[in-house]
Amino acid sequence: MTSSNLTSSRSFSNIGRIWVHIVLCAYAIVALFPIALILINSVKSRDAIFDNPLAFPTLDTFSLIGFEKVLTNTNFILYFGNSLIVTLGSLVLIVLFGAMAGWAISEYKFRGSRLMALYLALGIMIPIRLGTVSILQLVVSLNLINTRTALILVYTAQGLPLAVMILSEFIRQIPKELKEAARCDGVGEFKIFFRVILPLIRPAIATVAVFTMIPAWNDLWFPLILAPGDDTKTVTLGVQQFIGQYATDWNSVLAALSMAVIPILILYMLFSRQLIRGLTSGAVK
Amino acid sequence: MKKAFPWHIVVFLAPAVIIYSMFSALPLLDTLRLGFYTTNDAGVHRFVGLSNYHIILFDSDWSTAFWNAMWNNLKFFGIHMLLQNPIGLLLATLFSLKGLRWARTYRTMIFLPTLLSVVIIGFIWQLILSPLWGVGEKLMGFVGMANFFAPWLGQQSTALITLALISVWQFIGIPMMLIYAALLAVPEEVLEAAHVEGAGAWRIFWQIKLPLILPTLGLVTILTFVANFNAFDLIYSVKGALAGPNYSADLLGTFFYRTFFGYQAQIGSPTMGAAVATLMFLVILLGVAVYFYVVQRKLTRYEL
């Protein structure tokens, strides 16, 4: 700590440091203010929301009426469950299948292995949305329209390319000796993968988790097209339509927005350290 | 001795390759194919060659909307390049300064909007900018600028720019994080050496850090390009499929949605939608190609 303070005080002055804090603080306020505004007003009474939207709730103005209404009068909990199933379902498939493919590509030399890696990598740059017309036809012909399965399969297809790239990069860094030792003991390839490799790439898996969960949880396009039915709606689509339907009931709208924000905040708290570690250890190049 | 067929490789690869092919690669190819067809009332496809493209690009009913969306999309991208990436670079540079306190907290706070659904972001900003609720006007009043307040999201001249700024505000976390990671990878010895030689912080940034993170800046550029030419959610959730007022906020994504699903009196057409998707694909492909052939090649030369 002291030595790093010494070098840093040499590299920029105290006045410079104050300016850095001013700039970063100002930007952090710009970044957080709108979110805070929603959270603060979601726990206020209707009059207080309109009279003084910038004030914190006091004992007089505190009210949970919006949350109450949303939870009792709407399908919000159902939408939440749908989002959870879809997001976690695709996450499990992406991590498992992505790691398996990443292992196959980085470990075994077979004809066309480079071509296979390239084929899978193409999906990183090309948005899956452009194939929507045919995806819809496919989902209809498989009788999967208005199912969570359809969304899980699409998000898995969407997340796999990046997952394969990040995970194969990590698997390459695992020392050869570990695998060779296992092979000498006569351990099978599947056992090596599940018992030795998977536990070793946990940090990379966390990185992949963040990168795949956020877009899946937040997506509006595919739920709108593949699963708009009331039983399969995700929370993002639910909120989107909720805003239109209850536009005048501000308590409910703000409460609904807050409830859609909170899970992702919790998720980020859980994974943020891994995200940075994954980025800085060169997971994304 | 002939080795046994490596079944394990097939088993490891199969699930990923099958799902990716079925739900990503093949639908994309099939969409490119569908763009050459038209559907009659009975739902039968008929090959019509380039006629869909001819209609979109040259028939004035369609081409005006298409070129409007394309031009808007270019502006949308331009605003991101001018603001999002430079500000992201600035923020990342600031909190990568050695020994800066609360760096992690700043990083987390600024990254938070990136995590949220565009639907939520869109609505929050609609509220702030709505003249009814007046939070925006009140805030501007604190600095004596209440008179400059206008319903920016509702005006034809400002809707697109406002939406682009909201998008910049939300997604600045991505370039920021990528650049931050690249800055951390700059070797300490190089910076120490430059410092010993008497280079100031400013010069170290321009002459050492910036050149070393150029590949990341290239990556950030192409990611921004792909994301922008594929944008849909924000416009749809704030302005609906019509991207009003008078299509002033229309992007290729919303144009694609309307073509595919129809709107008001116009009936949606999967084959026309496929043609629009193909055009979007070509635009994105062009961007990616430019990135690989121009940017990457220049960078390799630079490294030598």
Side-chain angles (χ1 to χ4, degrees):
Chain A
M1 194 65 208
T2 35
S3 79
S4 84
N5 272 345
L6 268 177
T7 32
S8 59
S9 61
R10 268 193 282 131
S11 52
F12 68 113
S13 66
N14 276 329
I15 297 171
R17 190 181 288 258
I18 288 167
W19 272 106
V20 169
H21 278 293
I22 290 175
V23 172
L24 286 174
C25 255
Y27 197 91
I29 290 170
V30 173
L32 288 186
F33 169 74
I35 303 167
L37 192 67
I38 293 295
L39 294 175
I40 289 170
N41 282 292
S42 71
V43 292
K44 277 157 66 169
S45 68
R46 191 184 155 79
D47 292 341
I49 296 175
F50 280 100
D51 290 347
N52 197 352
L54 296 174
F56 280 96
T58 63
L59 275 180
D60 287 336
T61 58
F62 182 81
S63 162
L64 289 176
I65 180 83
F67 289 90
E68 227 177 281
K69 277 200 261 182
V70 171
L71 290 176
T72 51
N73 299 346
T74 68
N75 287 332
F76 216 77
I77 304 209
L78 173 75
Y79 301 160
F80 236 97
N82 289 337
S83 273
L84 267 180
I85 292 172
V86 168
T87 309
L88 293 178
S90 29
L91 176 73
V92 169
L93 294 188
I94 290 170
V95 166
L96 180 65
F97 296 162
M100 283 163 63
W103 160 256
I105 285 172
S106 57
E107 178 66 14
Y108 307 118
K109 293 286 151 272
F110 57 95
R111 210 189 299 165
S113 65
R114 287 182 61 118
L115 212 64
M116 181 61 79
L118 185 70
Y119 171 64
L120 289 171
L122 282 179
I124 298 175
M125 283 295 181
I126 296 162
I128 190 169
R129 268 179 200 187
L130 297 179
T132 303
V133 178
S134 303
I135 291 177
L136 180 60
Q137 287 182 354
L138 175 71
V139 167
V140 169
S141 69
L142 291 174
N143 225 348
L144 287 175
I145 204 79
N146 272 327
T147 59
R148 290 168 288 238
T149 317
L151 291 179
I152 292 179
L153 288 169
V154 168
Y155 294 144
T156 307
Q158 174 179 262
L160 274 171
L162 190 67
V164 170
M165 194 187 80
I166 293 178
L167 295 173
S168 63
E169 198 66 42
F170 256 76
I171 291 171
R172 267 196 203 101
Q173 294 168 10
I174 295 173
K176 262 203 173 69
E177 293 76 24
L178 271 172
K179 299 168 265 182
E180 296 308 328
R183 286 203 179 103
C184 282
D185 292 342
V187 181
E189 293 299 319
F190 293 104
K191 221 170 175 183
I192 293 180
F193 173 74
F194 283 103
R195 291 283 169 78
V196 182
I197 304 300
L198 264 192
L200 281 174
I201 57 172
R202 267 198 307 237
I205 288 177
T207 308
V208 171
V210 179
F211 280 122
T212 56
M213 278 166 111
I214 294 165
W217 181 276
N218 287 338
D219 188 40
L220 176 64
W221 178 266
F222 284 112
L224 188 65
I225 288 160
L226 300 179
D230 215 37
D231 293 334
T232 50
K233 229 174 250 176
T234 60
V235 89
T236 307
L237 181 60
V239 165
Q240 207 268 327
Q241 298 180 344
F242 189 82
I243 288 170
Q245 209 173 335
Y246 295 84
T248 46
D249 188 348
W250 284 47
N251 285 104
S252 303
V253 169
L254 293 175
L257 288 173
S258 302
M259 281 194 283
V261 168
I262 289 162
I264 212 86
L265 296 188
I266 295 173
L267 197 83
Y268 183 72
M269 307 280 174
L270 288 176
F271 283 114
S272 67
R273 193 166 294 182
Q274 263 81 19
L275 178 73
I276 302 293
R277 200 184 296 158
L279 281 172
T280 48
S281 62
V284 185
K285 279 185 182 155
Chain B
M1 198 179 88
K2 213 176 163 213
K3 270 194 191 165
F5 184 77
W7 280 111
H8 56 275
I9 301 181
V10 178
V11 175
F12 278 127
L13 271 174
V17 172
I18 290 171
I19 293 185
Y20 169 73
S21 302
M22 262 185 88
F23 287 90
S24 178
L26 294 178
L28 189 69
L29 282 178
D30 190 52
T31 302
L32 304 186
R33 183 186 66 87
L34 271 176
F36 294 115
Y37 286 78
T38 183
T39 339
N40 64 14
D41 293 336
V44 181
H45 290 328
R46 190 166 58 86
F47 184 79
V48 289
L50 290 171
S51 125
N52 289 344
Y53 297 97
H54 192 86
I55 293 172
I56 294 169
L57 296 175
F58 301 108
D59 182 334
S60 66
D61 282 347
W62 286 82
S63 65
T64 325
F66 174 76
W67 290 114
N68 172 50
M70 179 70 96
W71 177 234
N72 283 343
N73 229 148
L74 274 172
K75 282 195 249 177
F76 197 73
F77 174 61
I79 293 171
H80 280 78
M81 283 307 290
L82 280 176
L83 289 173
Q84 176 187 271
N85 299 341
I87 298 176
L89 173 65
L90 172 78
L91 293 170
T93 311
L94 288 185
F95 56 56
S96 70
L97 288 172
K98 265 193 71 183
L100 186 81
R101 279 193 180 197
W102 307 308
R104 252 186 79 143
T105 318
Y106 287 129
R107 210 170 59 205
T108 307
M109 291 194 289
I110 297 172
F111 192 68
L112 272 185
T114 310
L115 298 169
L116 304 184
S117 161
V118 168
V119 171
I120 298 167
I121 297 300
F123 187 73
I124 295 179
W125 280 100
Q126 253 177 296
L127 273 187
I128 293 174
L129 295 177
S130 96
L132 278 175
W133 205 29
V135 179
E137 202 172 356
K138 207 179 262 178
L139 284 175
M140 289 181 69
F142 290 149
V143 284
M145 285 169 59
N147 289 335
F148 291 97
F149 184 82
W152 286 298
L153 274 172
Q155 295 175 344
Q156 200 173 325
S157 55
T158 50
L160 180 73
I161 297 170
T162 313
L163 285 163
L165 291 177
I166 294 173
S167 171
V168 165
W169 171 84
Q170 173 171 23
F171 290 115
I172 202 152
I174 294 170
M176 185 186 81
M177 285 298 200
L178 290 173
I179 293 168
Y180 173 68
L183 284 172
L184 285 191
V186 173
E188 196 62 35
E189 308 88 68
V190 179
L191 299 179
E192 280 296 318
H195 189 77
V196 172
E197 300 279 319
W202 194 245
R203 218 170 136 216
I204 290 181
F205 174 77
W206 283 107
Q207 300 201 333
I208 297 175
K209 287 186 181 170
L210 197 63
L212 281 174
I213 61 164
L214 274 184
T216 304
L217 295 183
L219 178 74
V220 163
T221 305
I222 188 62
L223 288 179
T224 310
F225 183 84
V226 174
N228 283 176
F229 275 88
N230 184 35
F232 165 81
D233 298 32
L234 179 66
I235 314 287
Y236 181 80
S237 54
V238 174
K239 293 274 128 194
L242 290 176
N246 195 18
Y247 301 112
S248 59
D250 203 18
L251 299 185
L252 289 174
T254 37
F255 179 65
F256 171 40
Y257 181 85
R258 285 201 312 274
T259 313
F260 185 11
F261 286 100
Y263 62 102
Q264 291 176 344
Q266 184 182 326
I267 298 162
S269 157
T271 47
M272 272 304 223
V276 174
T278 304
L279 290 171
M280 290 169 72
F281 175 74
L282 292 177
V283 170
I284 288 173
L285 206 64
L286 185 76
V288 174
V290 168
Y291 167 68
F292 276 111
Y293 285 101
V294 181
V295 182
Q296 286 270 32
R297 191 178 290 174
K298 249 198 188 139
L299 287 177
T300 11
R301 212 175 339 140
Y302 184 87
E303 273 164 22
L304 298 172

